[in-house]
Amino acid sequence: MINIKFDYEKAFDCVSKKEIFDFQVQITQHFKAIKEKTGKGNNFLGWADLPSKTGKGLLKKIDNSAQKLQTLSEVNVVVGIGGSYLGARAVIEALSPHFNLLKRKLGNPVIVFAGNNISEDYLAELLQLLDEKEYTLTVISKSGTTTEPAIAFRILKNHIEKKYGKYAAKERIVIITDKVKGALKQLADEEGYETFVVPDDVGGRYSVLSPVGLLPIAVAGYNIWQLLEGSLEMENFTAVSAKIDESPVAAYAAVRNALYRKGKTIEIMVNFEPRLFYFTEWWKQLFGESEGKENKGIFPVGANFTTDLHSVGQYIQEGSRSLFETVLSVENSNSELLIPYDALNLDKLNYIAGKPIHEVNHMAELGTSIAHVDGGVPNLKLSIPEISEYNLGQIIYFYEMACAVSGYILDVNPFNQPGVEAYKRNMFALLGKPGFENETELIRKKL
Ligand code: PA5
């Protein structure tokens, strides 16, 4: 069953039904091109049937590897950046307790992340933590050559080999990379590390349902079978219908593109649950890197409500009118906590005494959406019944499909990221990397 509901009634002040349904012909073609792997960038459409093509054998292998890492570690360090990082973090943080002390109580290793920045302080503090903890490493890089994770792994490899000895350290390192290419694959072969493959035809930001996301999620103690089952349900559904009036995927792709054509060039993904913070980060990367090219694309930003209603809420209500927002709404919370009655009532909260906090959060959500629509910010709402592996699987596939279709509507290749190279070229030139001599000379003139 499809658990995602999409409500776009609150976009009608800005776009008409006709403007939305005008995308139907295109959308039908794009769904077909994705399913038949004939669209732009079609050598990177492997994500589209990952749920149906992932065999039980691979899932069991991932679970076995995860169990081994769990028994060896209090902390598992996941090294990776971009698509080799955000999907796993999004799911793990969405399912985990909010507080580190509670996380450890559950008995599974705490997952920490490295290689997603180049901060000296971050790595130095991580080493301090690892001095005192039993730990393992999961190193993820499809290319095997990305600078940030390469630096982190070089440092962590030294540390883990000093701590456990070279031989024992091998048992504590798992590599997820290309089947044959890249420095990481070569190193894994030379050292004899356990490896998992990032499929050739799956790009980083679409790889959360491959070992890239599945292994760290399993190490954290979550059910990757249910995650895949949820995504398979959505894969099957998108194979049957591309109709805007039936499919939330088709409707979301159509509405956001209709809004874009009306000058709404910024989409804010809003959550009212702090545990969805990194899910929003994953979504930002998925859409930003996929759509933002050839001077086109909706700029994706995230907002965490009600926290951010006390910061950027002012701008959303009354600033430049180039925004629309999409709320990822969670219908039920996992716990129940009622607001207590207080005899003194100095805070004047007795009018909501006895209500679950979730109800108050929902009224904040509804009140905010009405205020924002009144202020000229169209409001779209995606709902899931609760945060679970199964529902996250559905929403992940939902967004991947909607993103690819949106990219095709914009007539860009949603699976490349040529713009990411610019900063790397400059950084290599400034650091004097061999082979970048011309760039070094040119950039020095700019300083
Ligand atoms: O989505 C993408 O392809 C990128 O964000 C990559 O995942 C990111 O650059 C990391 O690349 P790699 O896995 O090769 O280290």
Side-chain angles (χ1 to χ4, degrees):
M1 197 175 89
I2 295 303
N3 285 345
I4 298 172
K5 284 187 236 141
F6 179 53
D7 175 359
Y8 53 98
E9 290 273 312
K10 292 197 180 80
F12 288 140
D13 280 359
C14 185
V15 282
S16 67
K17 229 173 177 175
K18 176 172 182 319
E19 284 162 330
I20 294 167
F21 278 77
D22 278 350
F23 283 100
Q24 184 62 71
V25 174
Q26 272 197 65
I27 284 185
T28 307
Q29 284 164 2
H30 299 327
F31 266 61
K32 192 164 179 277
I34 291 165
K35 295 292 177 187
E36 293 176 357
K37 304 197 178 168
T38 53
K40 265 192 184 175
N42 62 343
N43 47 343
F44 280 100
L45 278 164
W47 59 268
D49 48 19
L50 262 183
S52 57
K53 291 256 167 81
T54 303
K56 285 190 179 149
L58 176 59
L59 290 181
K60 281 188 188 145
K61 192 177 165 223
I62 292 174
D63 268 345
N64 288 341
S65 176
Q67 270 163 26
K68 188 179 112 189
L69 294 174
Q70 283 172 340
T71 56
L72 289 172
S73 32
E74 295 170 271
V75 173
N76 176 251
V77 186
V78 176
V79 180
I81 196 165
S84 289
Y85 151 64
L86 279 163
R89 187 160 201 178
V91 174
I92 292 167
E93 303 265 343
L95 295 169
S96 295
H98 292 93
F99 305 103
N100 273 336
L101 289 173
L102 287 181
K103 280 183 201 170
R104 190 58 201 133
K105 250 186 157 178
L106 293 179
N108 293 318
V110 172
I111 310 295
V112 301
F113 296 86
N116 54 66
N117 59 57
I118 322 181
S119 162
E120 191 159 0
D121 287 349
Y122 186 97
L123 278 173
E125 285 171 29
L126 177 60
L127 294 185
Q128 276 175 37
L129 171 79
L130 298 177
D131 279 341
E132 288 163 17
K133 300 284 174 199
E134 295 300 322
Y135 78 97
T136 51
L137 300 177
T138 306
V139 186
I140 312 173
S141 175
K142 183 173 184 188
S143 62
T145 54
T146 308
T147 308
E148 290 90 338
I151 292 174
F153 183 39
R154 196 182 259 227
I155 286 178
L156 289 165
K157 184 170 180 293
N158 275 344
H159 187 273
I160 203 167
E161 286 177 354
K162 269 199 200 114
K163 181 164 173 150
Y164 296 103
K166 202 167 163 52
Y167 184 75
K170 276 185 211 233
E171 291 304 302
R172 293 177 171 268
I173 300 174
V174 177
I175 305 286
I176 306 176
T177 189
D178 188 84
K179 193 167 56 206
V180 284
K181 293 190 301 277
L184 201 51
K185 170 66 186 158
Q186 208 182 329
L187 182 70
D189 286 348
E190 269 167 32
E191 301 279 11
Y193 300 140
E194 181 176 17
T195 54
F196 286 90
V197 171
V198 188
D200 260 353
D201 56 356
V202 177
R205 58 191 174 276
Y206 291 83
S207 68
V208 52
L209 300 172
S210 80
V212 171
L214 297 179
L215 180 65
I217 293 166
V219 176
Y222 299 109
N223 191 324
I224 55 174
W225 300 73
Q226 279 176 22
L227 186 81
L228 271 190
E229 218 177 287
S231 58
L232 177 62
E233 189 76 36
M234 192 50 89
E235 181 192 328
N236 290 338
F237 181 75
T238 52
V240 175
S241 176
K243 289 202 182 124
I244 294 172
D245 55 2
E246 282 175 10
S247 160
V249 181
Y252 176 57
V255 177
R256 63 194 297 284
N257 278 285
L259 290 168
Y260 178 59
R261 293 197 181 168
K262 287 286 174 75
K264 301 294 182 189
T265 54
I266 300 170
E267 178 175 7
I268 311 170
M269 167 143 157
V270 169
N271 67 71
F272 282 77
E273 284 296 337
R275 52 167 33 110
L276 290 177
F277 178 90
Y278 276 98
F279 201 80
T280 307
E281 292 300 298
W282 170 80
W283 170 87
K284 267 162 62 181
Q285 191 220 351
L286 180 66
F287 279 78
E289 230 170 41
S290 300
E291 287 190 314
K293 46 199 73 154
E294 300 172 31
N295 301 324
K296 295 187 259 192
I298 298 170
F299 186 67
V301 296
N304 307 288
F305 289 171
T306 60
T307 313
D308 288 339
L309 289 173
H310 299 258
S311 69
V312 292
Q314 169 60 37
Y315 188 103
I316 297 171
Q317 191 65 49
E318 295 180 348
S320 152
R321 300 297 71 190
S322 49
L323 317 169
F324 68 98
E325 62 188 357
T326 305
V327 180
L328 180 53
S329 179
V330 183
E331 282 161 14
N332 303 300
S333 54
N334 297 332
S335 30
E336 191 181 75
L337 193 58
L338 305 183
I339 296 176
Y341 176 79
D342 186 275
L344 286 179
N345 196 27
L346 292 176
D347 50 16
K348 303 272 188 289
L349 283 181
N350 275 355
Y351 76 103
I352 47 172
K355 284 191 194 298
I357 293 185
H358 200 62
E359 195 179 319
V360 180
N361 205 17
H362 269 300
M363 289 308 115
E365 186 182 311
L366 184 58
T368 305
S369 68
I370 293 169
H372 288 177
V373 171
D374 288 347
V377 178
N379 183 282
L380 316 178
K381 180 170 155 181
L382 284 164
S383 324
I384 53 172
E386 67 277 309
I387 299 176
S388 65
E389 286 94 333
Y390 184 82
N391 290 336
L392 288 173
Q394 283 204 359
I395 195 90
I396 285 169
Y397 195 92
F398 169 94
Y399 276 129
E400 288 180 345
M401 187 74 188
C403 182
V405 171
S406 291
Y408 283 168
I409 292 174
L410 286 172
D411 196 23
V412 298
N413 176 353
F415 310 115
N416 65 6
Q417 54 283 330
V420 179
E421 294 310 310
Y423 98 90
K424 290 187 192 166
R425 260 195 316 275
N426 287 349
M427 178 175 73
F428 294 151
L430 289 165
L431 288 168
K433 184 172 179 173
F436 284 77
E437 291 74 12
N438 289 343
E439 286 86 347
T440 303
E441 211 182 307
L442 284 172
I443 205 162
R444 290 228 166 110
K445 286 187 189 142
K446 290 192 187 168
L447 296 177

